[in-house]
Each structure stands twice: as structure tokens, then as C-alpha cells.
Amino acid sequence: MAVDERGGAGMANQAGAGRTNQKLRTRTAILAAARELIEAGSEVAMPAIARAALVSEATAYRYFPDLPSLISEALAGAWLPPAEALAPVAGSADPAERIAFACDYLLRGILARQGSVRAMIAATITRPETVAARPGIRFGLIDEALRPMEDTLGAADPDAFAQLKRGLAVVVSAEALFVLTDLCGLEADEAVASAVRTAVALTRAATHPAA
């Protein structure tokens, strides 16, 4: 009897392990499908991801409650940490030069992944409660770019420093990029250059305010 009980327990454990492994494979397949669509620049939507992963859309939603959470996890590690991203200008103490590099880096990264970024923005507009899933890459880049100003404007006028960061968050963003491409009709390179010029102008105005 004891042998039978042990055998039954062993089979149950194996079955449980098998289900766990299957769930892990399914989750991995969904993430891999999302990454492939993102890297291909394709439209990123839950039905397309489910088809690519060979699962039903309902199954995809069982593993990820919404599209923003899936995209956020699929993009994990896709962006360099701010200090690494700005390494080429690490030796510069000029905030304008640093913010120009940060803006260009972010916007070109968005262009390379714009299907997923557009999907993320659309999803969080229609469901504001999911906005926490947005990665907020811009904020770390802006903070790192403006590090030379922490002991100057940041110490002398914290409110002005905070306002500069808020202004840059509007410009150094996917939303600004898509306004320039979709509504203003600029080509991608023109749109990036326009945003960079605006970011630099804001930074220089704060660094050298008019008398």
C-alpha cells in the first residue's frame, strides 16, 4: 500500500512539474513572439502576438493581463541604463550637448521600436490605469544629461531646475516625435533633429537666462 501511495505521489509530482514546465514554455513563447514583432517593426497587438506564439488570444491574456505589461516585459533590457547610454558624452560638462545626445538616442530608439511604442501609448490612453507599465526611459536620460546642473541651477533654483526637467520630458518623448512625423509631416531624421534643437534651446535658456 505504501508503495502505491509513493508511486501515486510521484506521478502527481511529475504531472505538476509537467504543467509548470508547459506554462513556462507558453509564457516564453508569448514573450519571444512579442520581441520578434517589436524588432521587425510590425504592428504590435495581442492578436498578432498570440498568432505568432501559436496560442489563443485568451491564453495570451491569461499570462499577461494587458498589452502594456506584455510589451514592458518584452522590452526589458532593450534600453541601456542612462549612464551607459550617455557614455559617449560622459566627459562633457555642457548640459546642452548632453541633452542633445540623450534626445537623439531616445528618439532613434523609439523609431526602431515604434510599433510597440505606439501600441503602448494607445493602450495607456484608453486604459489610464495601465500607465505604470510604461517604462519612462526619458526621465532617467534627462536626469543623467542634466547632472552637471545639479550643483548650479539645481542648488540655486530647484523650482526652475524641476521646470526644466518637465519641459524636456515633453520634448524628449515619443509623443513629440509622433507629432512631428504624423502631424507636421517631417521625415524621421528631420523630426529627430527638430526635437533635439528644441531640447537644446530649452536647456541653454535655463543655463543662460536672459538678463
Side-chain angles (χ1 to χ4, degrees):
M1 184 67 175
V3 172
D4 290 341
E5 288 177 355
R6 285 196 296 270
M11 286 187 289
N13 288 338
Q14 289 176 359
R19 285 193 295 272
T20 298
N21 290 337
Q22 180 57 51
K23 287 180 179 180
L24 179 59
R25 286 193 294 270
T26 300
R27 194 175 195 281
T28 300
I30 294 169
L31 280 169
R35 291 189 184 108
E36 287 176 7
L37 289 175
I38 291 169
E39 291 169 3
S42 306
E43 178 184 359
V44 180
M46 197 66 91
I49 293 169
R51 285 195 299 272
L54 302 178
V55 300
S56 69
E57 188 175 348
T59 296
Y61 275 115
R62 280 201 295 273
Y63 286 84
F64 298 92
D66 49 59
L67 187 60
S69 64
L70 171 53
I71 292 174
S72 181
E73 187 161 345
L75 286 175
W79 296 91
L80 292 174
E84 290 183 29
L86 270 64
V89 291
S92 173
D94 181 1
E97 180 184 7
R98 292 168 64 88
I99 202 66
F101 187 90
C103 186
D104 186 88
Y105 169 81
L106 179 75
L107 298 191
R108 293 195 183 281
I110 288 168
L111 286 170
R113 309 173 179 91
Q114 65 174 299
S116 62
V117 177
R118 287 178 183 274
M120 178 78 82
I121 292 173
T124 53
I125 286 174
T126 56
R127 294 186 58 199
E129 69 275 11
T130 65
V131 73
R134 290 185 63 174
I137 304 298
R138 75 187 81 174
F139 300 107
L141 290 171
I142 291 169
D143 285 346
E144 183 65 26
L146 299 185
R147 196 169 298 282
M149 298 179 71
E150 289 179 351
D151 295 330
T152 54
L153 182 65
D157 193 341
D159 290 341
F161 193 42
Q163 179 56 43
L164 172 60
K165 289 186 176 183
R166 288 192 291 268
L168 288 170
V170 175
V171 176
V172 185
S173 68
E175 294 87 347
L177 177 64
F178 295 147
V179 166
L180 292 168
T181 56
D182 301 354
L183 301 182
C184 297
L186 296 184
E187 296 295 328
D189 286 343
E190 294 175 318
V192 172
S194 179
V196 168
R197 284 194 296 270
T198 303
V200 167
L202 283 173
T203 305
R204 284 182 175 156
T207 308
H208 306 290

